[in-house]
Amino acid sequence: NGLLQDWTGHVCWCNPPYGRNVKYWVEKAYRSYIDLGCTVVLLLPARTDTSWFHNYIYNVAEVRFLRGRLKFGSCLNSAPFPSMVVIFRP
């Protein structure tokens, strides 16, 4: 479980499971950045209306919104939501 491990090293990349628990992954990234000075890169749904976006990302991390909708693997349909890359960088 990635939430139970320390995220240390030069750069930590994370594509967390999307859903209700994404907020815990975002908070973990934020804490690893603030407390440990880690660089953390997250691929996330672009949910700018959520509390986790405003509490941990907005005005704290670098955000890059991706154009269009992502397709994962050999799926026929793209994701039903836009995506963003969030970078916590000391």
Side-chain angles (χ1 to χ4, degrees):
N1 184 339
L3 291 175
L4 300 177
Q5 300 175 25
D6 283 336
W7 293 2
T8 57
H10 296 288
V11 176
C12 178
W13 159 256
C14 184
N15 181 7
Y18 296 168
R20 293 181 194 173
N21 292 333
V22 73
K23 62 186 171 189
Y24 301 116
W25 294 87
V26 173
E27 182 179 4
K28 174 76 172 188
Y30 173 82
R31 295 283 171 219
S32 296
Y33 158 69
I34 293 293
D35 298 340
L36 304 173
C38 296
T39 297
V40 182
V41 181
L42 299 166
L43 175 63
L44 298 168
R47 304 271 192 240
T48 59
D49 58 333
T50 61
S51 60
W52 54 261
F53 179 82
H54 287 275
N55 292 340
Y56 302 114
I57 296 172
Y58 189 65
N59 287 330
V60 176
E62 181 180 337
V63 179
R64 298 182 187 182
F65 295 101
L66 303 179
R67 180 180 229 166
R69 306 261 170 122
L70 295 180
K71 260 188 165 176
F72 294 97
S74 60
C75 292
L76 297 177
N77 299 316
S78 59
F81 48 79
S83 298
M84 62 184 173
V85 174
V86 175
I87 305 163
F88 293 94
R89 186 188 331 249

Coordinates of all heavy atoms in Angstrom, one line a residue:
N1 N 0.8 -1.2 0.0 CA 0.0 0.0 0.0 C 0.9 1.2 0.0 O 1.6 1.5 1.0 CB -0.9 0.0 1.2 CG -1.9 1.1 1.3 OD1 -1.7 2.2 0.6 ND2 -3.0 0.9 2.0
G2 N 0.8 2.0 -1.1 CA 1.6 3.2 -1.2 C 1.3 4.3 -0.2 O 2.2 5.1 0.1
L3 N 0.2 4.3 0.4 CA -0.1 5.3 1.4 C 0.6 5.0 2.8 O 0.7 5.9 3.6 CB -1.7 5.3 1.7 CG -2.5 5.9 0.5 CD1 -4.0 5.8 0.8 CD2 -2.1 7.3 0.2
L4 N 1.0 3.8 3.0 CA 1.7 3.4 4.2 C 3.2 3.5 4.2 O 3.9 3.4 5.2 CB 1.3 2.0 4.6 CG -0.2 1.8 4.9 CD1 -0.5 0.3 5.2 CD2 -0.8 2.7 6.0
Q5 N 3.7 3.8 3.0 CA 5.2 3.9 2.8 C 5.6 5.3 2.8 O 4.9 6.2 2.4 CB 5.6 3.2 1.5 CG 5.2 1.7 1.5 CD 5.5 1.1 0.1 OE1 6.4 1.5 -0.6 NE2 4.8 0.0 -0.2
D6 N 6.9 5.5 3.1 CA 7.5 6.9 3.0 C 7.8 7.1 1.5 O 8.3 6.2 0.8 CB 8.8 7.0 3.7 CG 8.6 7.2 5.2 OD1 7.5 7.7 5.6 OD2 9.5 6.9 6.0
W7 N 7.5 8.3 1.0 CA 7.8 8.6 -0.4 C 9.0 9.5 -0.4 O 9.0 10.7 -0.3 CB 6.6 9.4 -1.0 CG 5.4 8.6 -1.2 CD1 5.2 7.3 -0.8 CD2 4.2 9.1 -1.7 NE1 3.9 7.0 -1.1 CE2 3.2 8.0 -1.7 CE3 3.8 10.3 -2.2 CZ2 1.9 8.2 -2.2 CZ3 2.5 10.4 -2.7 CH2 1.6 9.4 -2.7
T8 N 10.2 8.8 -0.4 CA 11.4 9.5 -0.4 C 12.2 9.2 -1.6 O 11.9 8.3 -2.4 CB 12.3 9.1 0.8 OG1 12.5 7.7 0.8 CG2 11.6 9.5 2.1
G9 N 13.2 10.0 -1.9 CA 14.0 9.9 -3.1 C 14.0 11.2 -3.9 O 13.5 12.2 -3.4
H10 N 14.5 11.1 -5.1 CA 14.6 12.3 -5.9 C 13.2 12.7 -6.4 O 12.8 13.9 -6.3 CB 15.5 12.1 -7.0 CG 16.9 11.9 -6.6 ND1 17.7 12.9 -6.0 CD2 17.7 10.8 -6.5 CE1 18.9 12.4 -5.7 NE2 18.9 11.2 -6.0
V11 N 12.5 11.8 -7.0 CA 11.1 12.1 -7.6 C 10.2 10.9 -7.4 O 10.6 9.8 -7.6 CB 11.2 12.4 -9.1 CG1 9.8 12.6 -9.7 CG2 12.1 13.6 -9.4
C12 N 9.0 11.2 -6.9 CA 8.0 10.1 -6.7 C 6.9 10.4 -7.7 O 6.3 11.4 -7.8 CB 7.5 10.2 -5.3 SG 6.2 8.9 -5.0
W13 N 6.6 9.4 -8.6 CA 5.6 9.4 -9.6 C 4.4 8.6 -9.0 O 4.6 7.5 -8.5 CB 6.0 8.9 -10.9 CG 4.9 8.4 -11.8 CD1 4.5 7.2 -12.0 CD2 4.1 9.3 -12.5 NE1 3.5 7.2 -12.9 CE2 3.2 8.5 -13.2 CE3 3.9 10.7 -12.7 CZ2 2.2 8.9 -14.1 CZ3 3.0 11.1 -13.5 CH2 2.1 10.3 -14.2
C14 N 3.2 9.1 -9.2 CA 2.0 8.4 -8.7 C 0.8 8.6 -9.6 O 0.5 9.8 -9.9 CB 1.7 8.9 -7.3 SG 0.3 8.1 -6.5
N15 N 0.2 7.5 -10.0 CA -1.1 7.5 -10.7 C -2.0 6.8 -9.8 O -2.3 5.6 -9.9 CB -0.9 6.8 -12.1 CG -2.2 6.8 -12.9 OD1 -3.2 7.4 -12.5 ND2 -2.2 6.1 -14.0
P16 N -2.6 7.5 -8.8 CA -3.4 6.9 -7.8 C -4.7 6.4 -8.4 O -5.2 6.8 -9.4 CB -3.7 8.0 -6.8 CG -3.6 9.2 -7.6 CD -2.6 9.0 -8.7
P17 N -5.3 5.4 -7.6 CA -6.7 5.0 -8.1 C -7.7 6.1 -8.0 O -7.7 6.9 -7.0 CB -7.0 3.9 -7.1 CG -6.0 3.9 -6.0 CD -4.9 4.8 -6.4
Y18 N -8.4 6.3 -9.0 CA -9.4 7.4 -9.1 C -10.6 7.0 -8.3 O -11.0 5.8 -8.3 CB -9.8 7.7 -10.5 CG -8.6 8.3 -11.3 CD1 -8.7 8.4 -12.7 CD2 -7.4 8.6 -10.8 CE1 -7.7 8.9 -13.5 CE2 -6.4 9.1 -11.5 CZ -6.5 9.3 -12.9 OH -5.5 9.8 -13.7
G19 N -11.2 7.9 -7.7 CA -12.4 7.6 -6.9 C -12.4 8.4 -5.6 O -11.7 9.4 -5.5
R20 N -13.2 8.0 -4.7 CA -13.4 8.8 -3.4 C -12.1 8.9 -2.6 O -11.9 9.8 -1.8 CB -14.5 8.1 -2.6 CG -15.8 8.3 -3.2 CD -16.9 7.7 -2.3 NE -18.1 7.5 -3.1 CZ -19.1 6.9 -2.7 NH1 -19.2 6.4 -1.5 NH2 -20.2 6.8 -3.4
N21 N -11.2 7.9 -2.8 CA -10.0 7.9 -1.9 C -8.8 8.7 -2.5 O -7.7 8.8 -2.0 CB -9.5 6.5 -1.7 CG -10.5 5.7 -0.8 OD1 -11.2 6.4 0.0 ND2 -10.6 4.5 -0.9
V22 N -9.0 9.3 -3.7 CA -7.9 10.1 -4.3 C -7.5 11.2 -3.4 O -6.3 11.6 -3.4 CB -8.4 10.6 -5.7 CG1 -9.3 11.8 -5.6 CG2 -7.1 11.1 -6.5
K23 N -8.3 11.7 -2.5 CA -8.0 12.8 -1.6 C -6.8 12.4 -0.7 O -6.0 13.1 -0.3 CB -9.2 13.3 -0.8 CG -9.8 12.2 0.1 CD -11.1 12.7 0.7 CE -11.8 11.6 1.4 NZ -13.1 12.0 1.8
Y24 N -6.8 11.1 -0.3 CA -5.8 10.6 0.6 C -4.4 10.5 -0.1 O -3.4 10.8 0.5 CB -6.1 9.2 1.2 CG -7.4 9.2 1.9 CD1 -8.5 8.5 1.5 CD2 -7.6 10.0 3.1 CE1 -9.7 8.5 2.2 CE2 -8.7 10.0 3.8 CZ -9.8 9.2 3.3 OH -11.0 9.3 4.0
W25 N -4.4 10.2 -1.4 CA -3.2 10.2 -2.2 C -2.6 11.6 -2.4 O -1.4 11.9 -2.3 CB -3.4 9.5 -3.5 CG -3.7 8.1 -3.3 CD1 -4.9 7.5 -3.1 CD2 -2.8 7.0 -3.3 NE1 -4.8 6.1 -3.0 CE2 -3.5 5.8 -3.1 CE3 -1.4 6.9 -3.5 CZ2 -2.9 4.6 -3.0 CZ3 -0.8 5.7 -3.4 CH2 -1.5 4.5 -3.2
V26 N -3.6 12.6 -2.6 CA -3.2 14.0 -2.8 C -2.6 14.5 -1.5 O -1.6 15.2 -1.5 CB -4.3 14.8 -3.3 CG1 -4.0 16.3 -3.3 CG2 -4.8 14.4 -4.7
E27 N -3.2 14.2 -0.4 CA -2.7 14.7 0.9 C -1.4 14.0 1.2 O -0.5 14.7 1.7 CB -3.7 14.3 2.1 CG -3.2 14.8 3.4 CD -4.1 14.5 4.6 OE1 -5.2 13.8 4.4 OE2 -3.8 15.0 5.7
K28 N -1.2 12.8 0.9 CA 0.1 12.1 1.1 C 1.2 12.8 0.3 O 2.3 13.0 0.7 CB 0.0 10.6 0.7 CG 1.3 9.8 0.7 CD 1.7 9.5 2.1 CE 2.9 8.5 2.0 NZ 3.2 8.0 3.4
A29 N 0.9 13.1 -1.0 CA 1.8 13.9 -1.8 C 2.2 15.2 -1.2 O 3.4 15.6 -1.1 CB 1.3 14.0 -3.2
Y30 N 1.2 15.9 -0.8 CA 1.4 17.2 -0.1 C 2.3 17.1 1.1 O 3.2 17.9 1.3 CB 0.0 17.8 0.2 CG 0.1 19.1 1.0 CD1 0.3 20.3 0.4 CD2 0.0 19.1 2.4 CE1 0.4 21.5 1.2 CE2 0.0 20.2 3.2 CZ 0.2 21.4 2.6 OH 0.3 22.6 3.3
R31 N 2.0 16.1 2.0 CA 2.8 15.9 3.2 C 4.2 15.5 2.9 O 5.1 15.9 3.6 CB 2.1 14.9 4.1 CG 0.8 15.3 4.6 CD 0.9 16.3 5.8 NE -0.4 16.8 6.1 CZ -0.6 18.1 6.4 NH1 0.3 18.9 6.5 NH2 -1.8 18.5 6.7
S32 N 4.4 14.7 1.9 CA 5.7 14.3 1.5 C 6.5 15.5 1.0 O 7.7 15.6 1.2 CB 5.7 13.2 0.4 OG 5.1 12.0 0.9
Y33 N 5.9 16.4 0.3 CA 6.5 17.6 -0.2 C 6.8 18.5 1.0 O 7.9 19.0 1.1 CB 5.6 18.2 -1.2 CG 5.8 19.7 -1.5 CD1 6.9 20.2 -2.1 CD2 4.8 20.6 -1.0 CE1 7.1 21.5 -2.3 CE2 5.0 22.0 -1.2 CZ 6.1 22.4 -1.9 OH 6.3 23.8 -2.1
I34 N 5.9 18.8 1.8 CA 6.0 19.7 2.9 C 7.0 19.2 4.0 O 7.9 19.9 4.4 CB 4.7 20.1 3.6 CG1 3.8 20.9 2.6 CG2 4.8 20.8 4.9 CD1 4.3 22.2 2.2
D35 N 6.8 18.0 4.4 CA 7.5 17.4 5.6 C 8.9 16.8 5.2 O 9.8 16.9 6.0 CB 6.7 16.3 6.3 CG 5.4 16.9 6.8 OD1 5.3 18.1 7.1 OD2 4.5 16.0 7.1
L36 N 9.0 16.2 4.0 CA 10.2 15.5 3.6 C 11.0 16.2 2.5 O 12.0 15.8 2.1 CB 9.9 14.1 3.2 CG 9.1 13.3 4.3 CD1 8.7 11.9 3.7 CD2 10.0 13.1 5.5
G37 N 10.4 17.2 1.9 CA 11.0 17.9 0.8 C 11.1 17.1 -0.5 O 11.9 17.4 -1.4
C38 N 10.1 16.2 -0.7 CA 10.1 15.4 -1.9 C 9.5 16.1 -3.1 O 8.6 16.9 -2.9 CB 9.3 14.1 -1.6 SG 10.0 13.0 -0.3
T39 N 10.0 15.7 -4.2 CA 9.3 16.1 -5.5 C 8.3 15.0 -5.8 O 8.7 13.8 -5.9 CB 10.3 16.2 -6.6 OG1 11.2 17.3 -6.3 CG2 9.5 16.5 -7.9
V40 N 7.0 15.3 -5.9 CA 6.0 14.3 -6.2 C 5.2 14.8 -7.4 O 4.8 15.9 -7.5 CB 5.1 14.1 -5.0 CG1 4.0 13.0 -5.3 CG2 5.8 13.8 -3.7
V41 N 5.0 13.8 -8.4 CA 4.3 14.1 -9.6 C 3.1 13.2 -9.6 O 3.2 11.9 -9.4 CB 5.1 13.8 -10.8 CG1 4.3 14.1 -12.1 CG2 6.4 14.7 -10.8
L42 N 1.9 13.7 -9.8 CA 0.6 13.0 -9.7 C -0.1 13.1 -11.0 O -0.2 14.3 -11.6 CB -0.3 13.5 -8.6 CG 0.2 13.4 -7.2 CD1 -0.7 14.2 -6.3 CD2 0.2 11.9 -6.7
L43 N -0.7 12.1 -11.6 CA -1.7 12.1 -12.6 C -3.0 12.0 -12.0 O -3.3 11.0 -11.3 CB -1.4 11.0 -13.7 CG -2.5 10.9 -14.8 CD1 -2.4 12.2 -15.6 CD2 -2.2 9.7 -15.6
L44 N -3.9 13.0 -12.2 CA -5.1 13.1 -11.4 C -6.3 13.5 -12.4 O -6.0 14.2 -13.3 CB -5.1 14.1 -10.3 CG -4.0 13.9 -9.2 CD1 -3.9 15.1 -8.3 CD2 -4.5 12.7 -8.4
P45 N -7.5 13.2 -12.0 CA -8.6 13.8 -12.6 C -8.7 15.3 -12.3 O -8.3 15.7 -11.2 CB -9.9 13.1 -12.1 CG -9.4 12.4 -10.8 CD -7.9 12.2 -10.9
A46 N -9.0 16.1 -13.3 CA -9.0 17.6 -13.0 C -10.3 18.0 -12.3 O -11.3 18.4 -12.9 CB -8.9 18.3 -14.4
R47 N -10.3 17.8 -11.0 CA -11.5 18.1 -10.2 C -11.2 19.4 -9.4 O -10.9 19.3 -8.2 CB -11.7 16.9 -9.3 CG -11.9 15.6 -9.9 CD -13.4 15.4 -10.3 NE -13.6 14.0 -10.7 CZ -14.1 13.7 -11.9 NH1 -14.3 14.6 -12.8 NH2 -14.3 12.4 -12.2
T48 N -11.2 20.5 -10.1 CA -10.9 21.8 -9.4 C -12.0 22.3 -8.5 O -11.7 23.3 -7.8 CB -10.6 22.8 -10.5 OG1 -11.8 23.0 -11.3 CG2 -9.4 22.4 -11.4
D49 N -13.1 21.6 -8.4 CA -14.2 22.0 -7.5 C -14.1 21.2 -6.1 O -14.9 21.5 -5.3 CB -15.5 21.7 -8.1 CG -15.7 20.3 -8.5 OD1 -14.7 19.5 -8.8 OD2 -16.9 19.8 -8.6
T50 N -13.1 20.4 -5.9 CA -13.1 19.6 -4.7 C -12.3 20.2 -3.6 O -11.4 21.1 -3.9 CB -12.4 18.2 -5.0 OG1 -11.1 18.4 -5.5 CG2 -13.2 17.4 -6.1
S51 N -12.5 19.8 -2.4 CA -11.8 20.4 -1.3 C -10.3 19.9 -1.3 O -9.4 20.7 -1.0 CB -12.4 19.9 0.1 OG -12.4 18.5 0.2
W52 N -10.0 18.7 -1.8 CA -8.6 18.3 -1.9 C -7.8 19.1 -2.9 O -6.6 19.4 -2.7 CB -8.4 16.8 -2.2 CG -9.1 16.2 -3.4 CD1 -10.3 15.6 -3.4 CD2 -8.7 16.2 -4.7 NE1 -10.6 15.2 -4.6 CE2 -9.6 15.5 -5.5 CE3 -7.6 16.7 -5.4 CZ2 -9.5 15.4 -6.9 CZ3 -7.4 16.5 -6.7 CH2 -8.4 15.9 -7.5
F53 N -8.4 19.6 -3.9 CA -7.7 20.5 -4.9 C -7.4 21.8 -4.2 O -6.3 22.3 -4.3 CB -8.6 20.7 -6.1 CG -7.9 21.6 -7.1 CD1 -6.9 21.1 -8.0 CD2 -8.2 23.0 -7.1 CE1 -6.3 22.0 -8.9 CE2 -7.6 23.8 -8.0 CZ -6.6 23.3 -8.9
H54 N -8.4 22.4 -3.5 CA -8.1 23.7 -2.9 C -7.3 23.6 -1.6 O -6.5 24.5 -1.3 CB -9.5 24.4 -2.6 CG -10.1 24.9 -3.8 ND1 -9.9 26.1 -4.4 CD2 -11.0 24.3 -4.7 CE1 -10.5 26.2 -5.5 NE2 -11.3 25.1 -5.7
N55 N -7.4 22.5 -0.9 CA -6.6 22.4 0.4 C -5.1 22.0 0.1 O -4.2 22.5 0.9 CB -7.2 21.3 1.3 CG -8.5 21.7 1.8 OD1 -8.8 22.9 1.9 ND2 -9.3 20.8 2.2
Y56 N -4.8 21.3 -0.9 CA -3.5 20.7 -1.1 C -2.8 21.1 -2.4 O -1.6 21.0 -2.5 CB -3.5 19.2 -1.0 CG -4.1 18.7 0.3 CD1 -5.3 18.0 0.4 CD2 -3.4 19.0 1.5 CE1 -5.8 17.6 1.6 CE2 -3.9 18.6 2.7 CZ -5.1 17.9 2.8 OH -5.6 17.5 4.0
I57 N -3.5 21.5 -3.4 CA -2.9 21.8 -4.7 C -2.9 23.2 -5.1 O -1.8 23.8 -5.4 CB -3.6 20.9 -5.8 CG1 -3.4 19.4 -5.5 CG2 -3.1 21.3 -7.2 CD1 -4.2 18.5 -6.4
Y58 N -4.0 23.9 -5.0 CA -4.2 25.3 -5.5 C -3.2 26.2 -4.7 O -3.2 26.2 -3.5 CB -5.6 25.7 -5.3 CG -6.0 27.0 -5.9 CD1 -5.9 27.2 -7.3 CD2 -6.3 28.1 -5.1 CE1 -6.3 28.4 -7.8 CE2 -6.6 29.3 -5.7 CZ -6.6 29.5 -7.0 OH -6.9 30.7 -7.6
N59 N -2.5 27.0 -5.5 CA -1.5 27.9 -4.9 C -0.3 27.2 -4.2 O 0.4 27.9 -3.5 CB -2.1 29.0 -4.0 CG -2.9 30.0 -4.8 OD1 -2.6 30.3 -6.0 ND2 -3.9 30.5 -4.2
V60 N -0.2 25.9 -4.3 CA 0.9 25.2 -3.7 C 1.7 24.4 -4.7 O 3.0 24.5 -4.7 CB 0.4 24.1 -2.7 CG1 1.5 23.3 -2.1 CG2 -0.4 24.8 -1.6
A61 N 1.1 23.7 -5.7 CA 1.8 22.9 -6.6 C 1.6 23.5 -8.0 O 0.8 24.3 -8.3 CB 1.2 21.5 -6.6
E62 N 2.5 23.0 -8.9 CA 2.4 23.3 -10.3 C 1.3 22.4 -10.9 O 1.3 21.2 -10.7 CB 3.8 23.1 -11.0 CG 3.8 23.4 -12.4 CD 5.2 23.1 -13.0 OE1 6.2 23.1 -12.2 OE2 5.3 22.9 -14.2
V63 N 0.4 23.0 -11.7 CA -0.6 22.2 -12.3 C -0.6 22.3 -13.8 O -0.5 23.4 -14.4 CB -2.0 22.6 -11.8 CG1 -3.1 21.8 -12.5 CG2 -2.1 22.5 -10.3
R64 N -0.6 21.2 -14.5 CA -0.6 21.2 -16.0 C -1.9 20.4 -16.4 O -2.0 19.2 -16.2 CB 0.6 20.5 -16.6 CG 1.9 21.3 -16.2 CD 3.1 20.7 -16.8 NE 4.3 21.3 -16.2 CZ 5.5 21.0 -16.6 NH1 5.7 20.0 -17.5 NH2 6.5 21.6 -16.1
F65 N -2.8 21.1 -17.0 CA -4.0 20.5 -17.5 C -3.8 19.9 -18.9 O -3.1 20.5 -19.8 CB -5.1 21.6 -17.6 CG -5.5 22.1 -16.3 CD1 -5.1 23.3 -15.9 CD2 -6.4 21.4 -15.4 CE1 -5.4 23.8 -14.6 CE2 -6.7 21.9 -14.2 CZ -6.3 23.1 -13.8
L66 N -4.2 18.7 -19.0 CA -4.0 17.9 -20.3 C -5.1 18.2 -21.3 O -6.3 18.2 -20.9 CB -3.9 16.4 -20.0 CG -2.8 16.0 -19.0 CD1 -2.8 14.5 -18.8 CD2 -1.4 16.5 -19.5
R67 N -4.7 18.4 -22.5 CA -5.7 18.6 -23.6 C -6.4 17.3 -23.9 O -5.8 16.3 -24.0 CB -5.0 19.2 -24.8 CG -5.9 19.5 -25.9 CD -5.1 20.0 -27.1 NE -5.8 21.2 -27.5 CZ -5.3 22.1 -28.3 NH1 -4.0 21.9 -28.8 NH2 -5.9 23.1 -28.7
G68 N -7.7 17.4 -24.1 CA -8.5 16.2 -24.4 C -8.7 15.3 -23.2 O -8.5 15.7 -22.1
R69 N -9.1 14.1 -23.5 CA -9.3 13.1 -22.5 C -8.4 11.9 -22.7 O -8.1 11.5 -23.9 CB -10.8 12.6 -22.6 CG -11.8 13.7 -22.5 CD -12.4 13.9 -21.1 NE -13.2 15.1 -21.0 CZ -14.4 15.1 -20.6 NH1 -15.1 13.9 -20.4 NH2 -15.0 16.2 -20.4
L70 N -7.8 11.4 -21.7 CA -6.9 10.3 -21.8 C -7.5 9.0 -22.1 O -8.7 8.7 -21.7 CB -6.1 10.1 -20.4 CG -5.2 11.3 -20.0 CD1 -4.6 10.9 -18.7 CD2 -4.1 11.5 -21.0
K71 N -6.8 8.1 -22.8 CA -7.2 6.8 -23.1 C -6.1 5.9 -22.4 O -5.0 6.1 -22.6 CB -7.2 6.5 -24.6 CG -8.5 6.5 -25.2 CD -8.4 6.1 -26.7 CE -9.8 5.8 -27.2 NZ -9.7 5.4 -28.6
F72 N -6.6 4.9 -21.7 CA -5.7 4.0 -21.0 C -5.6 2.7 -21.7 O -6.6 2.0 -22.0 CB -6.1 3.8 -19.5 CG -6.0 5.1 -18.7 CD1 -7.1 5.9 -18.5 CD2 -4.8 5.5 -18.2 CE1 -7.1 7.1 -17.8 CE2 -4.7 6.6 -17.4 CZ -5.9 7.4 -17.2
G73 N -4.4 2.2 -22.0 CA -4.2 0.9 -22.6 C -4.9 0.7 -23.9 O -5.0 1.6 -24.7
S74 N -5.6 -0.4 -24.0 CA -6.3 -0.7 -25.2 C -7.8 -0.4 -25.1 O -8.6 -0.9 -25.9 CB -6.1 -2.2 -25.6 OG -6.6 -3.0 -24.5
C75 N -8.2 0.4 -24.2 CA -9.6 0.8 -24.0 C -10.1 1.5 -25.3 O -9.4 2.3 -25.9 CB -9.8 1.7 -22.8 SG -9.5 1.0 -21.2
L76 N -11.3 1.2 -25.6 CA -11.9 1.9 -26.8 C -12.4 3.3 -26.5 O -12.3 4.1 -27.4 CB -13.1 1.0 -27.2 CG -12.9 -0.4 -27.7 CD1 -14.2 -1.1 -28.1 CD2 -11.9 -0.3 -28.9
N77 N -12.8 3.6 -25.3 CA -13.3 4.9 -24.9 C -12.3 5.6 -24.1 O -11.5 5.0 -23.3 CB -14.6 4.8 -24.2 CG -15.7 4.1 -25.0 OD1 -15.8 4.4 -26.2 ND2 -16.4 3.2 -24.4
S78 N -12.3 6.9 -24.1 CA -11.5 7.7 -23.3 C -12.1 7.9 -21.9 O -13.3 7.6 -21.7 CB -11.2 9.1 -24.0 OG -12.4 9.8 -24.2
A79 N -11.3 8.5 -21.0 CA -11.8 8.8 -19.7 C -13.0 9.7 -19.8 O -13.0 10.6 -20.6 CB -10.7 9.4 -18.8
P80 N -14.0 9.6 -18.9 CA -15.1 10.5 -18.9 C -14.9 11.9 -18.2 O -15.8 12.6 -17.9 CB -16.2 9.7 -18.1 CG -15.4 8.9 -17.2 CD -14.1 8.5 -17.9
F81 N -13.6 12.2 -18.0 CA -13.3 13.4 -17.3 C -11.9 13.9 -17.8 O -11.1 13.2 -18.3 CB -13.2 13.2 -15.8 CG -12.4 12.0 -15.4 CD1 -11.0 12.0 -15.4 CD2 -13.0 10.8 -15.1 CE1 -10.2 10.9 -15.1 CE2 -12.2 9.6 -14.8 CZ -10.8 9.7 -14.8
P82 N -11.7 15.2 -17.7 CA -10.3 15.8 -18.0 C -9.3 15.4 -17.0 O -9.7 15.0 -15.8 CB -10.6 17.3 -18.0 CG -11.7 17.5 -17.1 CD -12.6 16.3 -17.2
S83 N -8.1 15.5 -17.3 CA -7.0 15.1 -16.4 C -6.0 16.2 -16.2 O -5.9 17.2 -17.0 CB -6.2 13.9 -17.0 OG -7.1 12.8 -17.0
M84 N -5.2 16.1 -15.2 CA -4.1 17.1 -14.9 C -2.9 16.4 -14.3 O -3.0 15.3 -13.7 CB -4.6 18.2 -14.0 CG -5.0 17.7 -12.6 SD -5.7 19.1 -11.6 CE -6.2 18.2 -10.2
V85 N -1.8 17.0 -14.6 CA -0.5 16.5 -13.9 C -0.2 17.6 -12.9 O -0.2 18.8 -13.1 CB 0.6 16.4 -14.9 CG1 1.9 16.1 -14.2 CG2 0.3 15.3 -16.0
V86 N 0.0 17.1 -11.6 CA 0.3 18.0 -10.5 C 1.7 17.7 -10.0 O 2.1 16.6 -9.8 CB -0.7 17.8 -9.4 CG1 -0.4 18.6 -8.1 CG2 -2.2 18.1 -9.8
I87 N 2.5 18.8 -9.9 CA 3.9 18.6 -9.5 C 4.1 19.4 -8.2 O 4.0 20.6 -8.2 CB 4.8 19.1 -10.6 CG1 4.5 18.4 -11.9 CG2 6.3 18.9 -10.2 CD1 5.0 19.1 -13.1
F88 N 4.5 18.7 -7.2 CA 5.0 19.3 -5.9 C 6.5 19.3 -6.0 O 7.1 18.2 -6.0 CB 4.5 18.5 -4.7 CG 3.0 18.5 -4.5 CD1 2.2 17.5 -5.0 CD2 2.4 19.5 -3.7 CE1 0.9 17.4 -4.8 CE2 1.1 19.5 -3.5 CZ 0.3 18.5 -4.0
R89 N 7.1 20.5 -6.1 CA 8.5 20.6 -6.3 C 9.1 21.5 -5.2 O 8.7 22.7 -5.1 CB 8.7 21.1 -7.7 CG 10.2 21.2 -8.1 CD 10.3 21.9 -9.5 NE 9.2 21.8 -10.4 CZ 9.3 21.1 -11.5 NH1 10.3 20.5 -11.9 NH2 8.2 21.2 -12.4
P90 N 10.1 21.0 -4.4 CA 10.7 21.9 -3.4 C 11.5 23.1 -4.1 O 11.9 23.0 -5.2 CB 11.6 21.0 -2.6 CG 11.6 19.7 -3.3 CD 10.6 19.7 -4.4

